[in-house]
Amino acid sequence: MGRRCHAATALAVLGLILTTFTVGQAQTLNAKQSEALATYDRALGDFKSILAERRRQIEAKEPLPNLPGQALYLARVAVISSYKDLTDAMPSRIGKPNKFEIPPAYFDADIEPLIDEYSKLFDVMEAPPAGAQNSATPFKDVVDLATAIARAKGLAPAHAEAAGRISLGLFFAETNGKQNVRNGRSNTYMGSFQTGPSEDRNGRRKWDAIKGEIAAADPELSARDDKEEARARGTDYRFNHWTNVRDGLMNAHAEVFREIPGIVKTLPDPIDQMKLFELIQIVPTPTRSALKSGDVLNYRVSSPTIMKHLRNNSIFAFGQADRARTSASFREILAAMWLFNRKFERAMVKYSEIKGTLRDRL
């Protein structure tokens, strides 16, 4: 009995010591640290709340609000932003790496399940509409189309191959490699390459202008195109995987393919090449200006509108220090696109898997 009493007393004392230490530790936080911790806790609570609310609505088959993904997106941004502010104030809070490859200073690996749920909800909200025309070979389609377009623009085989690889990266950047999806944050941009109606029409006009050249160089691909055109006729071309990829590439990227020889010299890392072409999607005008400048990496943007577009696409979006930026060079922009890294790495793996089936087109 005596030993048990001593043991109980020891545990009580230990508990008192730990409690005192915890309270004392909390009391050592300065005002900035306390505010950062409270802001993060509040953001995390809000994120959990909107995740639960959207899941409840979906399972109850209730009508979702307009742009149902926007509140989720903003809540996720707030969590990452407030965590970065917390680790800036308390570097000891920087933890272990996470499976999303987000820099640990921006993300607590313990909340990985919340991001998994976030992705699952977007899968539901962005599911293709009834009647969407899928392809059995969506990844190969992207590479085949990009390669054919690049060859029509005069690129040598090695650079046409780079165009195919880069374009596959764009597919993953825009939709995580899922075809014919809708958009939980926009009523305008849809499909495998997330184009608006005017962009799709413009791309189709440009394709028609080089269709004859494509047919002469690659009759097999041209025959596939005729088949998909016939299948998509009378529908929204953005929900036929082939035509949306084709028109998206022609609208925004085909002319820039001509710059690939210089781009691969300046940016030998294939993922950096993908990032630059993704910027054609996000901020096309300054990206084209940077390419024309002859010094793309040091070309600087300072337009508030451009900086807003970057932030709206998860670049310089997280934490007060990043959001306070009023300008950035393309070198800094590429470095800040870390949230795209995992997508582009997946694209590289997929490209390696299908590369052996592409040689006859080069």
Side-chain angles (χ1 to χ4, degrees), residues 82-275:
S82 58
Y83 191 74
K84 180 59 166 64
D85 291 336
L86 177 59
T87 60
D88 282 347
M90 299 174 62
S92 62
R93 286 295 300 260
I94 298 175
K96 61 186 179 181
N98 56 85
K99 68 180 183 181
F100 304 112
E101 300 179 18
I102 299 173
Y106 289 80
F107 187 77
D108 182 354
D110 289 343
I111 71 166
E112 284 178 353
L114 298 181
I115 303 302
D116 287 334
E117 171 67 358
Y118 174 91
S119 297
K120 291 174 183 176
L121 290 172
F122 267 90
D123 285 344
V124 174
M125 294 184 295
E126 297 187 336
Q133 297 174 344
N134 282 359
S135 168
T137 55
F139 306 109
K140 187 174 182 296
D141 292 353
V142 174
V143 179
D144 281 350
L145 280 163
T147 301
I149 292 168
R151 292 293 278 156
K153 295 296 180 181
L155 269 68
H159 293 134
E161 181 179 340
R165 182 181 64 244
I166 289 166
S167 298
L168 190 59
L170 296 175
F171 182 31
F172 276 87
E174 291 298 310
T175 69
N176 286 314
K178 294 177 287 190
Q179 56 182 320
N180 293 326
V181 297
R182 291 176 290 186
N183 191 321
R185 298 179 55 215
S186 172
N187 292 325
T188 300
Y189 298 101
M190 304 286 174
S192 297
F193 258 55
Q194 294 290 287
T195 55
S198 63
E199 294 167 320
D200 190 71
R201 289 191 298 268
N202 185 52
R204 201 182 319 167
R205 285 194 298 268
K206 290 183 176 181
W207 174 260
D208 288 342
I210 67 166
K211 168 77 172 176
E213 189 174 350
I214 294 284
D218 195 335
E220 182 183 344
L221 184 138
S222 182
R224 169 71 185 282
D225 185 66
D226 290 340
K227 178 181 176 182
E228 296 298 338
E229 276 276 350
R231 188 160 74 122
R233 195 166 294 125
T235 70
D236 187 335
Y237 272 46
R238 293 176 301 162
F239 291 115
N240 173 292
H241 174 72
W242 177 275
T243 55
N244 186 238
V245 170
R246 180 198 71 189
D247 298 341
L249 287 172
M250 289 303 304
N251 172 70
H253 304 287
E255 294 304 318
V256 188
F257 283 169
R258 299 179 190 274
E259 307 294 329
I260 284 179
I263 289 171
V264 298
K265 287 183 179 179
T266 303
L267 299 171
D269 184 343
I271 288 181
D272 282 342
Q273 297 163 19
M274 292 174 179
K275 287 180 179 180

Side-chain angles (χ1 to χ4, degrees), residues 39-58:
T39 300
Y40 175 67
D41 287 342
R42 187 163 54 249
L44 186 57
D46 290 344
F47 188 41
K48 291 177 180 177
S49 177
I50 187 61
L51 287 171
E53 173 66 6
R54 203 61 84 239
R55 173 59 67 185
R56 185 196 64 76
Q57 291 171 330
I58 288 171

Side-chain angles (χ1 to χ4, degrees), residues 7 21 37 81 91 95 99 107 124 151 217 308 317 321 361:
F21 175 76
L37 181 58
S81 291
K99 68 180 183 181
F107 187 77
V124 174
R151 292 293 278 156
K308 179 180 178 180
R361 297 203 180 281

